[in-house]
Amino acid sequence: MDAAAPLRERLAAACEGLVYSSESDRPLHVFFREAPAAPAPLDAAAFALLVGAAPDDPVETRSLDRFLARHIDMVDPADALAWERLPRYEALKALLVSELYGVTVYRIGRVQVRCYAVGHDAAGNLAGIE
């Protein structure tokens, strides 16, 4: 049995129906990569290559708090749907922080920016959301 399956299932359930809002709303999905046989330090450039970014794509890191701020800390008072979803974003954040260590957000690209909030699970796999 896949030991990481329960975490992936909990992440998928937590992400269902949630979006990351910026210039457009993008659905959140589970991100998972098995731990390599010979782990190497994973800096921003190495992560970008891991997900298939072009070598010249800009990569920026930020905190999970900053990444989720628009959905947790800066909710529009007039947006009833955002207020309704607020507890789900808080639960997603709590899940990421409790199940993963070293959670970092990577923003990759220029025009089409892809965002990943990932950390390592207990087995050393790279997991999170994109």
Side-chain angles (χ1 to χ4, degrees):
M1 176 168 168
D2 179 0
L7 173 59
R8 288 198 306 263
E9 290 168 6
R10 288 194 312 274
L11 285 168
C15 287
E16 190 168 333
L18 296 182
V19 298
Y20 181 74
S21 297
S22 57
E23 289 77 26
S24 62
D25 291 342
R26 294 181 181 246
L28 294 175
H29 301 283
V30 174
F31 176 89
F32 184 85
R33 296 288 190 282
E34 288 188 14
L42 191 63
D43 61 12
F47 182 82
L49 291 175
L50 177 74
V51 297
D56 63 338
D57 278 348
V59 183
E60 173 188 330
T61 60
R62 58 177 53 175
S63 71
L64 183 60
D65 286 338
R66 183 174 174 200
F67 176 68
L68 291 175
R70 74 180 64 228
H71 299 289
I72 295 175
D73 302 319
M74 299 183 296
V75 178
D76 180 349
D79 188 342
L81 182 58
W83 281 100
E84 182 181 311
R85 289 182 177 168
L86 173 64
R88 295 202 46 226
Y89 283 101
E90 291 172 326
L92 174 60
K93 179 182 175 183
L95 177 62
L96 291 167
V97 171
S98 68
E99 294 290 331
L100 304 172
Y101 63 92
V103 176
T104 302
V105 175
Y106 300 94
R107 291 176 39 91
I108 304 169
R110 286 189 174 80
V111 177
Q112 292 288 336
V113 177
R114 296 178 295 164
C115 296
Y116 303 83
V118 298
H120 293 277
D121 68 9
N125 299 312
L126 199 57
I129 59 173
E130 60 178 297

Short mmCIF file of all heavy atoms in Angstrom, two decimals, residues 43-61 106-116:
data_model
loop_
_atom_site.label_atom_id
_atom_site.label_comp_id
_atom_site.label_asym_id
_atom_site.label_seq_id
_atom_site.Cartn_x
_atom_site.Cartn_y
_atom_site.Cartn_z
N ASP A 43 16.72 23.93 -3.56
CA ASP A 43 16.57 25.38 -3.55
C ASP A 43 15.56 25.76 -4.64
O ASP A 43 15.02 24.91 -5.33
CB ASP A 43 17.92 26.08 -3.74
CG ASP A 43 18.59 25.74 -5.08
OD1 ASP A 43 17.94 25.14 -5.96
OD2 ASP A 43 19.77 26.08 -5.23
N ALA A 44 15.30 27.04 -4.77
CA ALA A 44 14.28 27.51 -5.71
C ALA A 44 14.58 27.08 -7.14
O ALA A 44 13.69 26.64 -7.86
CB ALA A 44 14.14 29.03 -5.62
N ALA A 45 15.84 27.20 -7.57
CA ALA A 45 16.20 26.82 -8.94
C ALA A 45 16.01 25.33 -9.16
O ALA A 45 15.50 24.90 -10.20
CB ALA A 45 17.64 27.24 -9.23
N ALA A 46 16.40 24.52 -8.19
CA ALA A 46 16.25 23.07 -8.31
C ALA A 46 14.77 22.69 -8.36
O ALA A 46 14.37 21.81 -9.13
CB ALA A 46 16.95 22.36 -7.16
N PHE A 47 13.94 23.35 -7.56
CA PHE A 47 12.51 23.06 -7.59
C PHE A 47 11.93 23.42 -8.96
O PHE A 47 11.14 22.65 -9.52
CB PHE A 47 11.75 23.81 -6.48
CG PHE A 47 10.29 23.47 -6.50
CD1 PHE A 47 9.83 22.32 -5.90
CD2 PHE A 47 9.38 24.29 -7.15
CE1 PHE A 47 8.48 21.98 -5.95
CE2 PHE A 47 8.04 23.97 -7.20
CZ PHE A 47 7.58 22.82 -6.60
N ALA A 48 12.31 24.57 -9.49
CA ALA A 48 11.81 24.98 -10.80
C ALA A 48 12.15 23.95 -11.87
O ALA A 48 11.30 23.61 -12.71
CB ALA A 48 12.37 26.35 -11.17
N LEU A 49 13.35 23.44 -11.85
CA LEU A 49 13.73 22.40 -12.82
C LEU A 49 12.93 21.12 -12.60
O LEU A 49 12.53 20.45 -13.55
CB LEU A 49 15.23 22.12 -12.74
CG LEU A 49 16.13 23.25 -13.24
CD1 LEU A 49 17.60 22.91 -13.00
CD2 LEU A 49 15.87 23.56 -14.71
N LEU A 50 12.68 20.78 -11.33
CA LEU A 50 11.91 19.58 -11.00
C LEU A 50 10.51 19.62 -11.62
O LEU A 50 10.00 18.59 -12.06
CB LEU A 50 11.80 19.44 -9.47
CG LEU A 50 10.96 18.29 -8.96
CD1 LEU A 50 11.71 16.97 -9.14
CD2 LEU A 50 10.61 18.50 -7.50
N VAL A 51 9.90 20.79 -11.67
CA VAL A 51 8.54 20.90 -12.22
C VAL A 51 8.53 21.27 -13.69
O VAL A 51 7.48 21.58 -14.25
CB VAL A 51 7.67 21.88 -11.39
CG1 VAL A 51 7.49 21.36 -9.98
CG2 VAL A 51 8.22 23.28 -11.41
N GLY A 52 9.70 21.26 -14.33
CA GLY A 52 9.76 21.47 -15.77
C GLY A 52 9.79 22.91 -16.23
O GLY A 52 9.49 23.19 -17.39
N ALA A 53 10.16 23.82 -15.35
CA ALA A 53 10.27 25.22 -15.76
C ALA A 53 11.49 25.40 -16.67
O ALA A 53 12.46 24.65 -16.58
CB ALA A 53 10.41 26.12 -14.54
N ALA A 54 11.41 26.39 -17.53
CA ALA A 54 12.56 26.71 -18.38
C ALA A 54 13.67 27.28 -17.50
O ALA A 54 13.39 27.95 -16.50
CB ALA A 54 12.15 27.74 -19.44
N PRO A 55 14.92 27.03 -17.87
CA PRO A 55 16.03 27.51 -17.04
C PRO A 55 16.04 29.02 -16.81
O PRO A 55 16.55 29.48 -15.79
CB PRO A 55 17.27 27.08 -17.82
CG PRO A 55 16.82 25.95 -18.68
CD PRO A 55 15.38 26.23 -18.99
N ASP A 56 15.46 29.78 -17.73
CA ASP A 56 15.46 31.24 -17.56
C ASP A 56 14.18 31.78 -16.93
O ASP A 56 14.02 32.99 -16.77
CB ASP A 56 15.72 31.93 -18.89
CG ASP A 56 14.64 31.66 -19.92
OD1 ASP A 56 13.92 30.64 -19.79
OD2 ASP A 56 14.51 32.46 -20.86
N ASP A 57 13.25 30.89 -16.53
CA ASP A 57 12.03 31.34 -15.85
C ASP A 57 12.39 31.90 -14.48
O ASP A 57 13.13 31.27 -13.73
CB ASP A 57 11.04 30.19 -15.66
CG ASP A 57 10.20 29.91 -16.88
OD1 ASP A 57 10.21 30.74 -17.82
OD2 ASP A 57 9.53 28.86 -16.91
N PRO A 58 11.86 33.06 -14.13
CA PRO A 58 12.12 33.59 -12.79
C PRO A 58 11.42 32.73 -11.73
O PRO A 58 10.33 32.22 -11.96
CB PRO A 58 11.55 35.00 -12.83
CG PRO A 58 10.60 35.02 -13.97
CD PRO A 58 11.04 33.96 -14.94
N VAL A 59 12.08 32.59 -10.59
CA VAL A 59 11.53 31.83 -9.48
C VAL A 59 11.60 32.70 -8.24
O VAL A 59 12.64 33.27 -7.93
CB VAL A 59 12.32 30.53 -9.23
CG1 VAL A 59 11.68 29.73 -8.10
CG2 VAL A 59 12.44 29.70 -10.48
N GLU A 60 10.49 32.79 -7.55
CA GLU A 60 10.42 33.57 -6.32
C GLU A 60 9.88 32.67 -5.22
O GLU A 60 9.01 31.83 -5.48
CB GLU A 60 9.46 34.75 -6.56
CG GLU A 60 9.13 35.56 -5.36
CD GLU A 60 8.02 36.57 -5.64
OE1 GLU A 60 7.89 37.03 -6.79
OE2 GLU A 60 7.28 36.87 -4.70
N THR A 61 10.40 32.81 -4.02
CA THR A 61 9.84 32.08 -2.89
C THR A 61 9.14 33.06 -1.97
O THR A 61 9.48 34.24 -1.93
CB THR A 61 10.93 31.32 -2.09
OG1 THR A 61 11.87 32.24 -1.60
CG2 THR A 61 11.61 30.27 -2.96
N TYR A 106 6.67 28.45 -4.00
CA TYR A 106 7.48 28.81 -5.17
C TYR A 106 6.56 29.41 -6.22
O TYR A 106 5.55 28.80 -6.58
CB TYR A 106 8.16 27.56 -5.75
CG TYR A 106 9.08 26.87 -4.79
CD1 TYR A 106 8.64 25.81 -4.00
CD2 TYR A 106 10.41 27.27 -4.67
CE1 TYR A 106 9.49 25.17 -3.12
CE2 TYR A 106 11.27 26.64 -3.78
CZ TYR A 106 10.80 25.59 -3.01
OH TYR A 106 11.64 24.96 -2.12
N ARG A 107 6.90 30.58 -6.69
CA ARG A 107 6.19 31.23 -7.80
C ARG A 107 7.13 31.20 -8.99
O ARG A 107 8.23 31.75 -8.92
CB ARG A 107 5.82 32.67 -7.45
CG ARG A 107 4.75 32.79 -6.39
CD ARG A 107 4.49 34.24 -6.00
NE ARG A 107 4.51 35.17 -7.10
CZ ARG A 107 3.45 35.53 -7.83
NH1 ARG A 107 2.29 35.03 -7.58
NH2 ARG A 107 3.59 36.40 -8.81
N ILE A 108 6.70 30.57 -10.08
CA ILE A 108 7.57 30.34 -11.22
C ILE A 108 6.93 30.88 -12.49
O ILE A 108 5.77 30.58 -12.78
CB ILE A 108 7.85 28.83 -11.39
CG1 ILE A 108 8.44 28.25 -10.11
CG2 ILE A 108 8.77 28.58 -12.58
CD1 ILE A 108 8.51 26.75 -10.07
N GLY A 109 7.69 31.66 -13.25
CA GLY A 109 7.22 32.14 -14.54
C GLY A 109 7.13 33.65 -14.62
O GLY A 109 7.34 34.36 -13.64
N ARG A 110 6.82 34.10 -15.84
CA ARG A 110 6.69 35.53 -16.10
C ARG A 110 5.23 35.90 -16.32
O ARG A 110 4.62 36.58 -15.51
CB ARG A 110 7.50 35.92 -17.33
CG ARG A 110 8.99 35.95 -17.09
CD ARG A 110 9.73 36.55 -18.29
NE ARG A 110 11.13 36.70 -17.98
CZ ARG A 110 12.01 35.72 -18.02
NH1 ARG A 110 11.64 34.51 -18.40
NH2 ARG A 110 13.28 35.93 -17.71
N VAL A 111 4.67 35.49 -17.42
CA VAL A 111 3.29 35.84 -17.76
C VAL A 111 2.33 34.84 -17.11
O VAL A 111 1.42 35.22 -16.39
CB VAL A 111 3.10 35.89 -19.29
CG1 VAL A 111 1.66 36.17 -19.64
CG2 VAL A 111 4.03 36.92 -19.90
N GLN A 112 2.54 33.57 -17.38
CA GLN A 112 1.77 32.50 -16.75
C GLN A 112 2.54 32.05 -15.51
O GLN A 112 3.44 31.23 -15.61
CB GLN A 112 1.58 31.33 -17.71
CG GLN A 112 0.70 31.64 -18.89
CD GLN A 112 -0.76 31.76 -18.48
OE1 GLN A 112 -1.19 31.22 -17.48
NE2 GLN A 112 -1.53 32.48 -19.28
N VAL A 113 2.21 32.59 -14.37
CA VAL A 113 2.92 32.26 -13.14
C VAL A 113 2.26 31.05 -12.49
O VAL A 113 1.04 31.02 -12.31
CB VAL A 113 2.92 33.45 -12.16
CG1 VAL A 113 3.60 33.08 -10.86
CG2 VAL A 113 3.61 34.65 -12.81
N ARG A 114 3.08 30.04 -12.19
CA ARG A 114 2.59 28.85 -11.49
C ARG A 114 3.06 28.94 -10.04
O ARG A 114 4.20 29.33 -9.78
CB ARG A 114 3.14 27.59 -12.14
CG ARG A 114 2.65 27.40 -13.57
CD ARG A 114 3.24 26.18 -14.20
NE ARG A 114 4.69 26.34 -14.32
CZ ARG A 114 5.55 25.36 -14.54
NH1 ARG A 114 5.12 24.12 -14.65
NH2 ARG A 114 6.83 25.59 -14.64
N CYS A 115 2.18 28.58 -9.12
CA CYS A 115 2.50 28.63 -7.70
C CYS A 115 2.39 27.24 -7.09
O CYS A 115 1.45 26.50 -7.39
CB CYS A 115 1.56 29.57 -6.98
SG CYS A 115 1.68 31.28 -7.51
N TYR A 116 3.34 26.91 -6.24
CA TYR A 116 3.37 25.63 -5.53
C TYR A 116 3.64 25.92 -4.07
O TYR A 116 4.58 26.64 -3.74
CB TYR A 116 4.50 24.75 -6.05
CG TYR A 116 4.46 24.47 -7.53
CD1 TYR A 116 4.98 25.38 -8.45
CD2 TYR A 116 3.92 23.28 -8.01
CE1 TYR A 116 4.95 25.12 -9.81
CE2 TYR A 116 3.88 23.01 -9.38
CZ TYR A 116 4.40 23.94 -10.26
OH TYR A 116 4.37 23.68 -11.61
#
